[in-house]
């Protein structure tokens, strides 16, 4: 939803957002919204003139919108880079202020990240505690803050429970019948995927030296029993947020926000294992055509924007259950569970056509770009690595056959798409 109806920047931004799959509605500052209206995911305020302080009627509009739709994320564009303007907008209810001169690409990136945050799973806490009373106290405190939990009373079940429940943090009792919490944590750290998983010790231990030693041996925090419910929930949330941010940074590409090379390969391997039951999985490799020429002609910032636009388009066109990753440079990987070769071809060919019509702005005007794509499906290939290799071979065949097309592995002798003309890039 874009405010300040009728302005050219609002129209252009709405058009670009809609191209990436968003529904938009334009409204004036003085539009009266009702709590009965469907709450938008985000509201974008665009001033008449960039770099000037927002007028009083705009501030009032933000206040009203915030009161009617408390869950809507509010963006303010063209904000002057001074503290007073930003604070006044934040007081009115703005969540993010984008300074004058920031492009619509920055906003689209923000909105896509917002969708990702909204789709995050509930926080998960694994409780390792042999006392039923203490467990009930902790679970009650977490439940009051909408934090999911799972409890085990035997530390010998720790690795199995962690693998099945996939916790964001572990609350570990210090003293249990079979072993201490420190010993259990030390064993947990032997498994590579749990080396960074936060562990918070819960104990009546008051000896500071013992607490410090426990932290040195693998823990992240120490809370004395009985822990204050508010403090407990706050510590848990903080640890989880930092842990998830660390995981996100290590697994995602900084330019596009998509999974990076290693995370993509790992996830495709898992999806291949899951496909053993359904036998329906398609993996595709995409590569932007003549990308070096784009960089050489228009510069790397324009090249980066072309890469980001393809990443955004894939996120807007594919399902939340599909894998999308930046495999490296101008190459992307996509995995589509539960689809046939024909279904994968139709979806990816539509994305190909949409991308070929997407304008990319540069100093002298706009350019268009295309991509080539190779697809492989589960059956002839039964591992993640073999699927990726076969899709890559099909991609090379698509390049050799003229670019700007989708080729399916095993069917390279007959294209599923009549050869389109090469787009200018």
């Amino acid at each position: 939803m874009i405010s300040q109806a009728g302005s050219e920047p609002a129209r252009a931004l709405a058009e670009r957002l809609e191209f990436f799959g968003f529904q938009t509605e334009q409204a004036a500052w003085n539009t009266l919204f009702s709590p009965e209206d469907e709450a938008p995911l985000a509201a974008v305020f665009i001033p008449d003139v960039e770099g000037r302080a927002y007028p009083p009627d705009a501030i009032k509009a933000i206040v009203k919108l915030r009161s009617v739709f408390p869950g809507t994320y509010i963006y303010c564009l063209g904000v002057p880079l001074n503290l007073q303007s930003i604070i006044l907008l934040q007081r009115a209810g703005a969540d993010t202020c984008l300074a004058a001169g920031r492009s619509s690409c920055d906003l689209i990136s923000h909105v896509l990240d917002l969708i990702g945050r909204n789709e995050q799973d509930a926080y998960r806490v694994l409780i390792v505690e042999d006392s039923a009373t203490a467990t009930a106290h902790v679970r009650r405190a977490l439940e009051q803050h909408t934090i999911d939990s799972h409890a085990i009373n035997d530390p010998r079940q720790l690795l199995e429970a962690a693998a099945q429940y996939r916790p964001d943090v572990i609350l570990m009792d210090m003293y249990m019948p079979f072993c201490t919490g420190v010993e259990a944590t030390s064993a947990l750290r032997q498994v590579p995927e749990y080396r960074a998983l936060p562990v918070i010790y819960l104990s009546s231990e008051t000896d500071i030296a013992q607490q410090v030693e426990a932290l040195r041996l693998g823990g992240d925090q120490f809370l004395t029993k009985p822990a204050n419910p508010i403090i407990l929930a706050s510590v848990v949330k903080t640890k989880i947020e930092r842990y998830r941010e660390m995981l996100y940074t290590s697994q995602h590409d900084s330019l596009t926000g998509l999974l990076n090379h290693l995370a993509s390969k790992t996830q495709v391997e898992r999806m291949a294992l899951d496909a053993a039951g359904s036998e329906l999985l398609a993996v595709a490799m995409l590569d932007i055509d003549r990308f070096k020429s784009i960089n050489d002609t228009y510069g790397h910032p324009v090249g980066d924007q072309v890469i980001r636009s393809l990443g955004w388009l894939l996120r807007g066109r594919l399902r939340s259950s599909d894998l999308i990753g930046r495999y490296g440079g101008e190459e992307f990987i996509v995995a589509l569970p539960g689809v046939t070769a024909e279904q994968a071809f139709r979806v990816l060919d539509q994305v190909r056509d949409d991308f070929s019509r997407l304008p990319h702005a540069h100093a002298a005007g706009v350019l268009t770009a295309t991509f080539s794509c190779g697809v492989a499906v589960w059956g002839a290939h039964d591992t993640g690595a073999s699927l990726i290799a076969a899709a890559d071979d099909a991609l090379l065949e698509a390049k050799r056959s003229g670019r700007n097309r989708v080729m399916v592995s095993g069917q390279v002798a007959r294209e599923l798409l009549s050869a389109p003309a090469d787009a200018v890039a």
Side-chain angles (χ1 to χ4, degrees):
M1 183 173 62
I2 303 173
S3 204
Q4 194 64 336
S7 72
E8 177 56 26
R11 186 205 61 77
L13 180 56
E15 184 178 293
R16 193 164 180 82
L17 284 167
E18 287 167 1
F19 196 96
F20 289 109
F22 296 101
Q23 293 182 343
T24 67
E25 174 187 339
Q26 298 187 49
W29 297 126
N30 58 359
T31 300
L32 297 177
F33 298 100
S34 168
E36 283 71 41
D37 296 334
E38 183 180 359
L41 169 70
V44 183
F45 284 81
I46 303 175
D48 289 329
V49 181
E50 279 204 342
R52 290 186 184 176
Y54 272 48
D57 60 337
I59 298 293
K60 291 178 182 177
I62 296 171
V63 171
K64 289 179 181 178
L65 188 70
R66 171 57 70 222
S67 66
V68 175
F69 301 127
T72 292
Y73 203 93
I74 297 178
Y75 295 93
C76 290
L77 305 189
V79 177
L81 201 58
N82 66 70
L83 193 65
Q84 179 177 339
S85 294
I86 295 173
I87 289 178
L88 287 176
L89 290 171
Q90 289 177 333
R91 286 177 179 173
D95 294 291
T96 294
C97 298
L98 294 177
R102 299 285 291 274
S103 70
S104 62
C105 300
D106 295 303
L107 174 67
I108 295 170
S109 181
H110 272 277
V111 175
L112 288 170
D113 288 342
L114 177 63
I115 293 173
R117 289 197 297 270
N118 287 348
E119 293 175 346
Q120 280 191 343
D121 295 335
Y123 290 169
R124 297 182 300 275
V125 178
L126 177 61
I127 304 167
V128 186
E129 170 64 72
D130 63 318
S131 167
T133 302
T135 297
H137 169 77
V138 170
R139 298 196 73 175
R140 186 162 51 247
L142 296 176
E143 185 178 348
Q144 290 174 352
H145 292 81
T146 64
I147 299 174
D148 190 59
S149 64
H150 174 71
I152 58 174
N153 58 14
D154 187 342
R156 287 172 289 189
Q157 302 169 355
L158 176 59
L159 295 182
E160 291 79 3
Q164 293 175 8
Y165 184 60
R166 296 181 297 109
D168 297 297
V169 70
I170 293 178
L171 292 178
M172 182 82 71
D173 186 21
M174 275 289 288
Y175 300 108
M176 294 172 286
F178 174 73
C179 65
T180 67
V182 173
E183 290 175 317
T185 301
S186 180
L188 181 76
R189 299 299 191 217
Q190 302 302 311
V191 182
E193 62 187 290
Y194 302 136
R195 284 176 185 163
L197 180 64
V199 174
I200 301 172
Y201 292 123
L202 295 176
S203 175
S204 55
E205 178 65 67
T206 57
D207 187 326
I208 298 299
Q210 290 293 329
Q211 293 183 12
V212 171
E213 183 66 8
L215 296 176
R216 186 186 70 81
L217 294 173
D220 297 274
Q221 185 94 19
F222 199 105
L223 295 178
T224 303
K225 291 182 180 179
N228 179 292
I230 296 177
I231 293 177
L232 173 64
S234 177
V235 169
V236 165
K237 283 184 175 180
T238 299
K239 291 295 182 185
I240 290 176
E241 288 165 1
R242 291 177 179 173
Y243 175 62
R244 287 190 172 184
E245 181 64 28
M246 181 273 297
L247 286 182
Y248 183 90
T249 301
S250 66
Q251 296 176 357
H252 289 76
D253 168 60
S254 60
L255 179 64
T256 63
L258 301 176
L259 291 175
N260 60 25
H261 180 94
L262 179 58
S264 297
K265 287 183 66 175
T266 301
Q267 188 62 27
V268 168
E269 289 287 359
R270 290 174 182 167
M271 295 172 77
L273 291 174
D274 293 339
S278 68
E279 297 186 353
L280 284 177
L281 173 65
V283 172
M285 300 294 292
L286 295 73
D287 187 86
I288 298 174
D289 296 325
R290 299 187 174 93
F291 184 74
K292 184 178 184 300
S293 175
I294 294 174
N295 271 342
D296 291 346
T297 304
Y298 304 103
H300 289 278
V302 174
D304 285 348
Q305 184 50 48
V306 172
I307 289 174
R308 293 172 75 186
S309 294
L310 178 52
W312 293 338
L313 189 62
L314 289 168
R315 290 172 70 176
R317 296 293 189 267
L318 301 183
R319 304 167 298 178
S320 60
S321 58
D322 297 329
L323 176 147
I324 311 169
R326 185 183 178 197
Y327 210 63
E330 67 275 20
E331 192 170 22
F332 293 76
I333 184 170
V334 168
L336 310 170
V339 302
T340 64
E342 291 74 18
Q343 291 169 330
F345 174 85
R346 285 198 297 270
V347 169
L348 292 167
D349 193 53
Q350 184 60 60
V351 175
R352 179 204 60 77
D353 183 61
D354 290 343
F355 184 69
S356 70
R357 293 182 288 107
L358 176 62
H360 309 280
H362 60 86
V366 296
L367 67 95
T368 56
T370 63
F371 70 76
S372 301
C373 176
V375 181
V377 292
W378 177 266
H381 317 283
D382 56 4
T383 67
S386 61
L387 279 166
I388 292 172
D392 204 42
D393 288 342
L395 168 62
L396 293 175
E397 182 62 26
K399 291 281 191 181
R400 286 193 290 263
S401 299
R403 301 183 178 88
N404 189 23
R405 64 196 64 212
V406 179
M407 300 286 289
V408 179
S409 176
Q411 300 180 15
V412 293
R414 61 177 186 87
E415 289 186 61
L416 298 180
L417 176 69
S418 58
D422 283 349
V424 177

